Structure formats: C-alpha cells, structure tokens
Amino acid sequence: MGRVSIYCDKLCFTACLILYIQLASSQKSSFASANSTEAEALLKWKASFQNQTQNNLTSWVNANEAPCNTWIGVSCNSAGSVNRLNLTNSSIQGTLLEFPFMSLPNLAYVDLSLNELFDQIPPEISSLTKLIYFDISYNQMSGKIPPEIGLLTNLQVLHLNANKFNGSIPQEIGQLKFVYELALNLNNLEGSIPASVGNLSQLTSLILFGNQLSGSIPPEIGNLSKLVELHLYDNYLSGPIPLSVGNLKNLTIMVLYNNTLSGSIPTSFGNLTNLVYLSVYGNKLSGTIPEEIGNLKFVEEVHLAANRFSGYLPRDICSGGLLQRFTAENNEFTGPIPKSLKGCKSLVRVRLQGNQLKSNISEDFGVYPNLQFVDLSHNNLYGEISDIWGQCPNLTTLRFAGNNLTGSIPSEIANANNIQELDFSLNHLVGVVPKDLGRLTSMVNLKLNGNQLLGSIPSEFGAFTQLDSLDMSTNKLNGSIPSIFGELISLNYLNLSNNNFSQEIPFQLGKLFHLSQLDLSRNSLDGKIPSEISNMQSLEGLNLSHNNLSGLIPATFVGMHGLSYIDVSYNHLQGPIPNNKAFQDVHNFEGNEGLCGNVVGLESCNKHVSKKKLVFAIIFPILGAVLLALLAIVFIKTRRKKEPGTEKSDIHDEIFSISHFDGKKLYREIIRATNGFDSIFCIGKGGSGSVYKAKLPSGSIVAVKKLHQKLDGEETLQKEFHKEISALINIRHRNIVKLCGFCSNSQHSFLVYEYLEKGSLASILSKEDEAKELDWSRRVRIVKGVAHALSYLHHDCVSPIVHRDLSSSNILLDYDYEPCVSDFGTAKLLNPDSSNWSSLAGTYGYVAPELAYTRKVTEKCDVYSFGVLALEVITGKRLGDLISSFSSPSVCENKLLNDVLDQRLPPPTLEVEHELTTIARVAITCRDSRPQSRPTMHMVSQSLSFQTAASTGGPDITLEQLIKI
Ligand SMILES: *[C@@H]1O[C@H](CO)[C@@H](O)[C@H](O)[C@H]1NC(C)=O
Ligand SMILES: *[C@@H]1O[C@H](CO)[C@@H](O)[C@H](O)[C@H]1NC(C)=O
Ligand SMILES: *[C@@H]1O[C@H](CO)[C@@H](O)[C@H](O)[C@H]1NC(C)=O
Ligand SMILES: *[C@@H]1O[C@H](CO)[C@@H](O)[C@H](O)[C@H]1NC(C)=O
C-alpha cells in the first residue's frame, strides 16, 4: 500500500511541476510564450510523421513565430492560443500517438480527414475538453474507439467514418450530450449498438452503415427526437424494428437495408410524417405493411424488396402524390395493385415482380410522364396489355413475364419510343407480332417467348441495330427466318426454337459476329447448314436439332474455336463430323442416318473414303492457322547437367511427349525466335515470370511466359500437374487467353499462349491516348467479357478454376479490344501446396479482405477482385488512387457515380450511363466485405447480360458506396 502511494505522490509531483512551469511561463510576459509552447508541441508531432518531405505542412517550421497566422491549417482564439487545426487532405502519413493533446488545451475544431493517419486514437484525447468538432474520416485508423471519447462532453460533431476501427462502439459515447452528427460508418465495428445512444438528445444524423454491427436496434433510439437521418444499412442487425422508432417525428431518411431484421413494420411508422426515403430491403421482415404508411405524404422512395412481407400492398402508398420509386419485389404480397399506385403520376420506377399479386392489369393505368421502369413479372396478373403504356414518353423497360396475360400485343406500345426492353414472355398472348414494334430502334432486349403468337417475324425487326437479346421461342410463329436478321449486328443471343419456322437458314446470319448463342431447334427448317455460320467467331452454343436439315456439316466448323456446345440431332445430315472440340457427345448427333466420325457411338468414316478426302482438302489450308491451338504439351525429362550448346541433342534423346505433335520442334523454334530469351523480345514482366513475343517460322506469333521458378523435370511429370495443365489447355472461351502448351527442361520452363495485339488493360488505362481509345462501349464490353470468362472458369469447368490474381495487368486485349483473361490457374500450378495458396496469389489492392485472416482462397476472392477491376475500368483509376483523389470529405459526400467516371472520355450517353450504373452496382456487391454476401460470377455475368441498368432499383450510387473498403 505504502509503495503505491509513494509512487502516486511522485507522479502528482511531476505533473504539478509541469503545470507550474507552464503557468509561470504563460504569466511571465505577453502571449508570445503561450504561442511558442503550442508551436513547439505541433512541430514535435510533425517530426513524428513518416514522410517528412511529402506532406503539405511546409509552413510549419519555426517555433518562434506565431503559428496562428503563418502556419497552414492552424488558427487561434483571441487570446492567441491554438483552437483550430484543419489539416484535411494534407498528405500526412503518421499517427496520433505523439499528438500534443496536453499542450493544446483550447483546441475546439480538429479536421484531419483524408490523410494517411494510422494506428489508434490514444485515450489522452480526453484532455481536449473544449473539443467541439473532431473529424478523422478517410484515414487508416485502427484499433478500438477509446471509451475516453465519452469525456469530450462538448463534442458536437464526431466523424470517424471510413477507417479501420474495430471492436464495439463504447457505451460511453452516450455521454456526448451535445453531439448532433455521429458518423462511424465504413469501419469494422462489431457488437451491438449501445442503448446509451438514446441519450444523445441533440442527434440529427446517426450514420453507422457498412460495419459488422449485430444484435437488435435499441428501443432507446426512439428518444432521439431531433433525428433527421438514420443510416444503419449493410450490417448484421437482427430482431425487430422497435416500435419507438415511430417517435422520430423529424426523421426524413431511414435506411435499414441489408441486415437480418425480422418481425413486421410497426404501425407507428404512420407517425413519421416527414419521411421522404424509407428503405428496408434485404431483411427478413414479414407480416403486412400497415395501412398507416399512407400517412407519409412526403415520401418519395419506398424500398421493401427481398423480405417476407405478405398481405395486400398498402392502399394509399402514393397518397402524397410524390412517390417516385417503389420496389416491393420478391416478397409474398397478394391481392390487387392498389388504385393509389396505378394513379401515381410521379412514379419513375416500380418493381413488384416475384409476388402473388392478382389483378386485372388491362384497366386503370394512367399516363406517367416520368415513368422509366416497370417490372410486374412472375405474379398472377391477368387481363390484356393496355395500349396506354405507349403514352409514357420516358419508359425504357416494361416487364410482364410469367403472368396470365391474354389478348394480343398492342401496336400502340411502339409510341413509347425510348423502350429498350420488353419482356412479355411466359403468358398466354395470341395474335401476330405487331410490325410497329420495329420502330423501337433503341431496343436491347426483346422477350416474347412462351406465348401463342402466330404469323411471321416482321421484317421491320431488322431495324433493331442495338438488339442484344431476342427470344421468340415456344410460340406458333411460321414463315422463314428473315434474312434481314443478318443486320442485327449487336445480337448476342437469338432463340427462335420451338416454332414452325420453315425453309432454309439464311446465310446472312453469318454476319452476326457477336452472337454467342443461337437456338433454332424444333422447327421445320430444311436445306443445308450454311457454311457462313462458321463466320460467327463468337458463337459458343449452337442448337439446330429437330429440323429437316440435310447435306454435310460444313467443314469450316473446325475453325470455330469458341464453340463449346453443338446439337444437330434429329435431322438428315450426312458425312463426317468436323474435328472440333464441340463435336464430342454422340447424343448431339443422334437421329441422323448418315453421319460418321471418331466419336464413340458413331460409325467411323473409313467407308466414306472419297468424302474424307474432300474434307481434308478443305481442312488442310486452315490447319496452319489452327496449328497453335493444337500444340503439343511437352515434358522434357532431363536431369543431366549440360553445356548450353549440347542442349539440342539432349532434347532429342530425352523428349517426353504426351501428344501427337512435335514438341521438341516447337521448343527449338521458340528458343530460336527469342534468341534464347533475349530481353529485346521481352514484352512484360509479372510475378511469376517474364513474357516474350515469339514469331514462329510458320508466321504465327505466340506469347511465351518464361517462369522465374524452374519446375523440376521429375516433379512436372507428376500426374496431378499433368492433369492440371491439360485442363488449362482444354479451356476454350472467347474471353480467356488460350494456353497452347507447356515446355520444361533443365534450362527453362515456359508456357505458350496466344498473342494479343493491344497488350494489357493496365497499360492502356495508364496512358492518356490509349485510354481515350477505350471508349465507353468498349469498356462495358470488357467488364462483361471478364465476367463471362470468370463465370466460365468457376462454373463451367470440370473442376472450378479460381484465378486468384485477377488484376488489370492480366486482362489482355485483342486488336478489337475484346478482353481475354490471362494467367488463370497458374498461381495454383506454380504452388500446388494448397496450404500456402494465398502466399502467392493476389495483387495489392485487388485482394479480398478475408485473406487477411484466412488463407483459404475461394471463387469469392475472384468475385472481389472483379469488383475492384470493374470500378477501375469505369473510373480509369486504381481504387487506391480513386480514394485519394478526393480533396475533402464534404466534397466526397455529395459525389455520385457520374462525378468519378473516367474524365478522359466524353460523358456517356444515357443508355451507356445505365449500363455503367449496373456495372457500378454489381461492383459494389462484389466488393462486399463478407464473402458469403458477394454474388457468384454466374449471377454477375447474368445480371450484366440481361438486365439493363434501369432494372436495378434503389437510390443513386454515391461515392461512399463505390469506394467502401
Ligand atoms: C515517401 O514518399 C516517397 C515519394 O512519394 C515514396 O516513394 C516513399 O515510399 C515514401 N515513404 C514511406 C515510408 O511511405
Ligand atoms: C499570439 O497569438 C495572438 C493571436 O493570434 C497574437 O495577437 C499575438 O501577437 C501572438 N503572440 C506572439 C508573440 O506572436
Ligand atoms: C477545413 O478546410 C476545408 C477546406 O480547406 C473546409 O471545407 C472544412 O470545412 C474545414 N473544416 C473545418 C472543421 O473548419
Ligand atoms: C496537399 O498536397 C497535395 C499534393 O501536392 C494537393 O493535391 C492537395 O490539394 C494539398 N492539400 C491542401 C489542403 O492544400
């Protein structure tokens, strides 16, 4: 006991002594010494910064001059003592560990936002008892929020957002009785929201979104009678929404989406008469929506989607006449679409799909001057499609799929000439397809499949030059397939299957260079398969089954490398099947009498010698071009030490080849073409190796990746490795760089890839001129292409392939800026010891956050990297650079997507802007910190292909959402 008190005495004595010295010196003369003590203290802090020359504090030099007037960011009170420190965006790299809390007793305003401050907030912050304003947002601060912050009882504004704070919110925060703005969003905070928050009686903004907060919303929140904005979205909050929320009479914005809240919406919500924005989507809420919602006369947006709500939609949802966006999709709502909604002229976007609404939609719809987007799909709606929709001048998307609609398609719809998407599929529509639809030249996606439509396809459809996807399958359409379809140059998906189309397949379809899926099955098509089909270099799936086609399968099909699926069963085809990977499954040929070939179950062609010769005559000239795609896999097993000069003969002796091709010849050609890997042929360097350009004697150019790490000959022969390489070589996708072969001997190990003209996306984005060439539509195509490729690797390969190092450096572009993903699978290949996976994989900035604490690399890591990449493509900046390119948090807060699009390009058209919005939204979900909340690449690829941006509901995208860490 005695010792403790002696120790304490000493401490007090020292403290008193310092106090005495300070008092003495400040009393001694004018304010000079007070200013210089504070100046010295600030200089000492500055001296602790990491990069002395890089910050903006060059005016902080002399402790003997008044900091008040001459030092940047420093201001003083009338007594000459520092009371304001505004160092926002000053490139400071440092910590607060040596901040002179004790020496700046009058400090009231501190703004340190947008720097690179890191480490903890020291508990000594509590000595700044006069602090009114503290903002350290957009830094790299970590650790727990110190409970001592509760001692700053004069605080009015506290911004700790966009850092890496963890631990829970200290309950002492409830002592900040004058705080009106509390922003802790975008951190890693966990635990529950302390009930003491209810003591913050002056609070107007409570911003906690984007953390890992759990537990229920404390009912005490209802005490915050001045609250205007409540942002709790993107957390793990559970339990019911407390009744007391109804007390928040001043609330205008309530955002609770993406939590796991349950129970029903309290009737007390009817008291929130100032509410403008209400979003609770993505929770587990249930029950009916209280009719009292009709009291919210100022409400402009209501988002109820993806919950378990049931019962009728609220009768008076648009009673104030201001409602613009109403989304209630994917719930269990029943009954009619309320009159109030039908008559709601202010509507812009409505999503009610995926419920059990039962209503006659022929009636009572009005003219909506601002309406852009309506999705009523997958309900039990009936009646006819009203011609009044044609009077909505801004309508872009109208979806009624999967209902019980009858009658015919009104041609008046064509008066809404901004329409980009019509989806009337899976109903009971009859009659002919109105030719007036051809006037909708902005059309991107038209789905009329699964009805009972009659007659032929109007030739006016040839005007759809923007059309990406056309599905008219499963109707009763007849006549011929219009040759004008060859003009639909943007088409990616065409399905006319299961109709009564007859006559020949028009050869003009061969002009559809972007088509990836073509389904003409189950019709009465006859004649030959036009050889022009093989001009469709993007084609991946082709179904011609169940028709009356005859003659030979065009031998030119052998050159369609992207083709992964073909079905020609049940026709009258004859002759040999082309030697193409897609022709492997006998079921896709059955029902043809005359086909032969080297597929199990099919008759061999030996009997048809004359025909075979013919086929070879055609194939042979093409063979040169496709040679690379068929290159050998070579394993050279040699452990003997060699002189470089003797290499050739050794290879000859020791060669081990698993293919029919001449691997050793290729090896020699590559060594010769690169002059033994001379650096003048080097075109790039990566983590695992350097890439060389090699022009082979045949004229073909290949990219050769020489691995830093030499793979030992013995090891490479292991079965596992062998299988891995074969799997990679067998991958064929238009957006994946083709791996042609692999060579290894005691000198070198290298992979041989197809060569792509335009080089890497990273290098193009880094150069002003080249980045300008990469216009918006090319960028959109790049994002989609990469998504398709990853979806293919994850979901369509025998065993999923995780890329593990996706970045703009390994997206390569061909002469037409079509993207190809490269380097997939090599990370694992080079390091098969899976416990060490993460040690090799990943490029800084693209790596999923969970890899900081788990070593398990999953597909979801690629999804995260894809999100980073997609943002990079549309903003033109690496994510890190994007974040640091904003000058202050207030500037940042009002930024929307448009403000951060790559400024080197002219602003996008409205249509492209929609696509960019979709991409941004998808990117945000991909970058969710929780792997399980990220979509799969399949979902990503689907939503980029088939949803126009208008389909994505919810508020505008803010910069905060975009750059969430
Ligand atoms: C200091 O700044 C220079 C130039 O920007 C940079 O290269 C260096 O890495 C920085 N040092 C630290 C420790 O951050
Ligand atoms: C201390 O600051 C006050 C207020 O800025 C100023 O009037 C005074 O001259 C300063 N003293 C000295 C010695 O610089
Ligand atoms: C700090 O300065 C910036 C502009 O330089 C300003 O926008 C911000 O409001 C200031 N902060 C405080 C607390 O005065
Ligand atoms: C600090 O310096 C950086 C780089 O020179 C500059 O972009 C930024 O605007 C400066 N900040 C202030 C507040 O002057």
Side-chain angles (χ1 to χ4, degrees):
M1 226 17 199
R3 287 192 61 179
V4 172
S5 68
I6 289 168
Y7 180 65
C8 178
D9 282 345
K10 255 192 198 161
L11 236 167
C12 295
F13 175 70
T14 319
C16 292
L17 194 63
I18 291 172
L19 194 66
Y20 169 75
I21 292 168
Q22 278 188 357
L23 276 172
S25 57
S26 68
Q27 280 165 357
K28 215 186 274 174
S29 62
S30 67
F31 299 117
S33 45
N35 294 355
S36 75
T37 308
E38 296 183 348
E40 262 166 37
L42 286 170
L43 282 182
K44 219 173 131 203
W45 179 49
K46 183 190 167 193
S48 75
F49 296 167
Q50 287 202 331
N51 224 335
Q52 291 299 320
T53 52
Q54 296 302 315
N55 62 52
N56 299 33
L57 309 187
T58 46
S59 56
W60 290 28
V61 192
N62 188 349
N64 295 322
E65 69 186 6
C68 310
N69 305 320
T70 49
W71 286 19
I72 194 157
V74 180
S75 327
C76 301
N77 61 15
S78 57
S81 178
V82 174
N83 71 342
R84 255 176 201 271
L85 205 51
N86 189 347
L87 303 177
T88 182
N89 194 29
S90 299
S91 308
I92 301 174
Q93 297 177 11
T95 70
L96 293 186
L97 300 178
E98 295 187 39
F99 188 90
F101 295 107
M102 304 294 194
S103 311
L104 299 170
N106 291 310
L107 208 49
Y109 294 86
V110 175
D111 188 348
L112 300 175
S113 58
L114 289 159
N115 284 294
E116 288 167 55
L117 294 166
F118 57 95
D119 215 320
Q120 315 195 359
I121 297 182
E124 290 78 16
I125 194 170
S126 61
S127 52
L128 300 179
T129 50
K130 296 197 176 152
L131 203 59
I132 291 173
Y133 184 105
F134 186 68
D135 186 347
I136 197 164
S137 58
Y138 297 94
N139 279 287
Q140 310 285 327
M141 299 294 293
S142 57
K144 295 188 176 16
I145 299 174
E148 288 79 1
I149 215 149
L151 299 172
L152 301 172
T153 48
N154 288 307
L155 215 51
Q156 295 178 13
V157 172
L158 180 60
H159 289 178
L160 305 182
N161 50 304
N163 279 289
K164 295 173 175 169
F165 289 114
N166 56 29
S168 52
I169 302 175
Q171 58 95 12
E172 288 81 357
I173 212 137
Q175 297 163 19
L176 304 177
K177 55 181 185 292
F178 295 122
V179 154
Y180 64 88
E181 265 181 39
L182 180 60
L184 308 180
N185 50 299
L186 298 170
N187 279 296
N188 300 321
L189 298 171
E190 52 193 27
S192 50
I193 301 173
S196 61
V197 161
N199 300 338
L200 305 176
S201 59
Q202 300 301 311
L203 207 58
T204 58
S205 296
L206 179 58
I207 309 182
L208 304 179
F209 70 85
N211 281 293
Q212 284 117 50
L213 297 170
S214 55
S216 50
I217 301 176
E220 289 79 1
I221 231 163
N223 300 342
L224 304 175
S225 59
K226 294 192 173 170
L227 202 63
V228 176
E229 296 194 20
L230 177 62
H231 298 265
L232 303 180
Y233 59 96
D234 282 337
N235 276 296
Y236 299 112
L237 298 169
S238 56
I241 302 174
L243 270 178
S244 60
V245 166
N247 301 340
L248 305 175
K249 296 274 190 323
N250 290 303
L251 204 60
T252 54
I253 298 180
M254 167 151 49
V255 201
L256 306 179
Y257 65 75
N258 285 346
N259 279 291
T260 53
L261 299 169
S262 54
S264 55
I265 290 193
T267 51
S268 63
F269 267 39
N271 302 335
L272 303 174
T273 48
N274 285 304
L275 209 59
V276 171
Y277 185 105
L278 170 64
S279 177
V280 297
Y281 74 77
N283 279 290
K284 293 178 174 166
L285 296 166
S286 56
T288 57
I289 307 293
E291 285 300 338
E292 286 79 359
I293 283 274
N295 300 346
L296 313 182
K297 304 280 189 236
F298 296 115
V299 81
E300 293 174 9
E301 297 205 19
V302 176
H303 300 287
L304 308 173
N307 279 290
R308 294 164 188 169
F309 291 122
S310 56
Y312 284 15
L313 288 171
R315 208 172 7 168
D316 289 328
I317 185 69
C318 185
S319 61
L322 299 174
L323 187 67
Q324 295 179 11
R325 285 156 205 256
F326 180 57
T327 62
E329 74 269 23
N330 299 330
N331 280 290
E332 291 153 27
F333 287 115
T334 54
I337 297 175
K339 266 213 162 70
S340 145
L341 194 61
K342 287 182 177 177
C344 188
K345 302 270 186 218
S346 51
L347 285 176
V348 174
R349 189 171 291 197
V350 182
R351 299 177 62 116
L352 302 177
Q353 76 270 22
N355 283 290
Q356 287 134 43
L357 298 172
K358 201 161 190 176
S359 195
N360 185 339
I361 67 157
S362 338
E363 304 158 354
D364 289 343
F365 283 93
V367 176
Y368 308 92
N370 305 317
L371 189 65
Q372 294 172 1
F373 183 100
V374 179
D375 193 342
L376 305 181
S377 301
H378 304 294
N379 278 292
N380 300 320
L381 303 172
Y382 57 92
E384 300 189 7
I385 298 172
S386 158
D387 55 28
I388 301 212
W389 294 109
Q391 296 176 37
C392 299
N394 287 304
L395 195 62
T396 60
T397 301
L398 193 56
R399 296 187 190 154
F400 295 150
N403 282 292
N404 298 318
L405 304 187
T406 50
S408 55
I409 300 171
S411 56
E412 290 85 350
I413 283 221
N415 295 332
N417 58 10
N418 283 310
I419 287 185
Q420 297 173 356
E421 178 177 346
L422 282 183
D423 185 353
F424 297 159
S425 59
L426 305 171
N427 278 291
H428 308 292
L429 300 174
V430 296
V432 298
V433 180
K435 63 178 192 307
D436 284 335
L437 289 189
R439 287 195 276 129
L440 297 172
T441 51
S442 304
M443 190 75 83
V444 174
N445 190 352
L446 178 58
K447 295 183 76 174
L448 303 177
N449 53 296
N451 283 291
Q452 284 128 47
L453 299 171
L454 298 170
S456 54
I457 296 181
S459 58
E460 283 78 0
F461 276 24
F464 290 148
T465 50
Q466 316 283 318
L467 198 64
D468 177 81
S469 172
L470 176 62
D471 193 342
M472 308 199 60
S473 62
T474 318
N475 276 293
K476 296 175 174 167
L477 299 169
N478 57 24
S480 58
I481 294 172
S483 57
I484 193 102
F485 270 18
E487 308 299 315
L488 307 181
I489 46 169
S490 303
L491 208 56
N492 174 48
Y493 177 90
L494 176 59
N495 191 345
L496 303 177
S497 66
N498 215 356
N499 279 292
N500 299 320
F501 290 112
S502 57
Q503 302 176 29
E504 296 193 1
I505 299 173
F507 68 86
Q508 288 89 344
L509 292 189
K511 291 196 279 182
L512 301 177
F513 293 128
H514 292 294
L515 199 64
S516 68
Q517 298 291 336
L518 175 59
D519 190 346
L520 305 177
S521 64
R522 293 178 195 273
N523 280 292
S524 309
L525 299 167
D526 55 27
K528 293 191 169 128
I529 301 175
S531 62
E532 285 82 357
I533 294 263
S534 57
N535 295 341
M536 298 189 208
Q537 281 301 323
S538 299
L539 204 61
E540 291 164 16
L542 174 63
N543 192 345
L544 303 175
S545 66
H546 297 272
N547 279 293
N548 300 322
L549 300 168
S550 56
L552 300 174
I553 300 176
T556 46
F557 273 33
V558 87
M560 300 179 73
H561 304 307
L563 202 58
S564 58
Y565 171 84
I566 182 163
D567 189 347
V568 295
S569 60
Y570 299 96
N571 279 291
H572 311 296
L573 298 167
Q574 303 174 344
I577 55 164
N579 188 8
N580 178 307
K581 276 222 60 68
F583 293 88
Q584 292 301 332
D585 186 350
V586 71
H587 296 297
N588 298 337
F589 304 108
E590 67 192 6
N592 289 287
E593 289 301 303
L595 285 178
C596 65
N598 274 339
V599 173
V600 186
L602 215 58
E603 201 182 340
S604 146
C605 291
N606 287 340
K607 290 188 209 148
H608 311 249
V609 177
S610 59
K611 269 181 197 152
K612 190 181 171 194
K613 266 189 186 153
L614 173 71
V615 173
F616 261 80
I618 299 166
I619 290 178
F620 219 74
I622 303 169
L623 202 60
V626 301
L627 179 69
L628 287 173
L630 304 168
L631 277 177
I633 305 165
V634 184
F635 298 107
I636 294 149
K637 180 184 176 188
T638 165
R639 288 145 76 207
R640 229 184 300 155
K641 286 234 156 80
K642 283 172 288 189
E643 308 283 315
T646 67
E647 189 177 289
K648 201 163 139 188
S649 60
D650 283 333
I651 295 162
H652 198 78
D653 295 331
E654 303 283 343
I655 194 88
F656 177 80
S657 167
I658 59 153
S659 81
H660 324 292
F661 284 84
D662 192 354
K664 57 197 165 186
K665 182 162 162 238
L666 172 69
Y667 178 86
R668 282 201 298 269
E669 283 180 0
I670 283 172
I671 297 290
R672 209 169 291 149
T674 59
N675 198 12
F677 296 109
D678 190 326
S679 60
I680 60 166
F681 294 99
C682 183
I683 52 172
K685 280 193 163 71
S688 55
S690 303
V691 183
Y692 298 80
K693 179 176 173 179
K695 187 166 183 192
L696 302 180
S698 66
S700 318
I701 299 176
V702 290
V704 180
K705 179 165 202 169
K706 181 165 157 285
L707 304 174
H708 294 323
Q709 179 190 2
K710 224 187 50 55
L711 299 162
D712 178 63
E714 191 77 312
E715 209 173 283
T716 56
L717 285 175
Q718 284 169 9
K719 255 201 185 136
E720 202 40 44
F721 186 85
H722 186 156
K723 229 171 65 192
E724 204 87 55
I725 288 267
S726 307
L728 297 181
I729 287 184
N730 282 331
I731 288 173
R732 286 286 178 270
H733 188 282
R734 65 190 287 228
N735 297 116
I736 296 177
V737 177
K738 291 179 187 64
L739 174 63
C740 308
F742 170 75
C743 299
S744 183
N745 73 353
S746 61
Q747 257 83 38
H748 310 290
S749 295
F750 55 82
L751 295 151
V752 184
Y753 289 100
E754 119 189 83
Y755 175 76
L756 290 153
E757 287 83 342
K758 297 275 193 223
S760 80
L761 177 61
S763 89
I764 288 186
L765 286 178
S766 71
K767 295 177 200 135
E768 171 112 10
D769 289 348
E770 296 187 28
K772 278 182 178 160
E773 282 296 303
L774 209 57
D775 61 27
W776 289 120
S777 61
R778 283 175 175 155
R779 293 191 190 205
V780 169
R781 230 166 72 206
I782 288 171
V783 174
K784 287 185 182 175
V786 174
H788 296 328
L790 289 176
S791 170
Y792 180 86
L793 289 173
H794 290 180
H795 304 288
D796 298 337
C797 295
V798 182
S799 54
I801 296 175
V802 180
H803 189 297
R804 311 204 292 174
D805 187 15
L806 189 71
S807 77
S808 55
S809 311
N810 49 40
I811 305 301
L812 305 180
L813 304 178
D814 73 6
Y815 64 96
D816 202 18
Y817 294 96
E818 187 68 36
C820 277
V821 176
S822 79
D823 260 7
F824 52 93
T826 49
K828 174 150 179 246
L829 206 65
L830 297 181
N831 197 1
D833 173 9
S834 57
S835 66
N836 267 337
W837 277 18
S838 57
S839 60
L840 238 176
T843 299
Y844 178 74
Y846 296 89
V847 179
E850 67 271 19
L851 289 183
Y853 53 83
T854 155
R855 320 195 85 184
K856 197 160 149 30
V857 182
T858 67
E859 286 94 326
K860 290 295 177 77
C861 303
D862 282 354
V863 176
Y864 183 92
S865 309
F866 172 79
V868 177
L869 179 81
L871 285 181
E872 184 176 337
V873 173
I874 62 178
T875 64
K877 290 195 176 82
R878 291 258 169 140
L879 188 62
D881 299 341
L882 180 67
I883 292 171
S884 53
S885 66
F886 289 96
S887 51
S888 87
S890 52
V891 169
C892 198
E893 240 146 54
N894 298 324
K895 291 269 182 201
L896 296 176
L897 176 61
N898 268 346
D899 301 310
V900 297
L901 292 178
D902 196 339
Q903 305 295 321
R904 295 173 293 190
L905 294 187
T909 61
L910 197 60
E911 190 181 309
V912 173
E913 192 185 318
H914 285 163
E915 293 210 90
L916 297 176
T917 308
T918 304
I919 290 173
R921 262 184 226 291
V922 168
I924 290 167
T925 61
C926 290
R927 290 186 57 246
D928 197 304
S929 56
R930 298 160 280 182
Q932 70 278 14
S933 305
R934 292 174 206 147
T936 64
M937 279 319 298
H938 182 71
M939 288 154 71
V940 169
S941 151
Q942 291 279 315
S943 59
L944 292 178
S945 307
F946 295 111
Q947 282 188 295
T948 54
S951 64
T952 48
D956 283 332
I957 299 178
T958 63
L959 181 62
E960 271 189 338
Q961 289 173 295
L962 280 177
I963 64 180
K964 172 175 178 176
I965 301 154

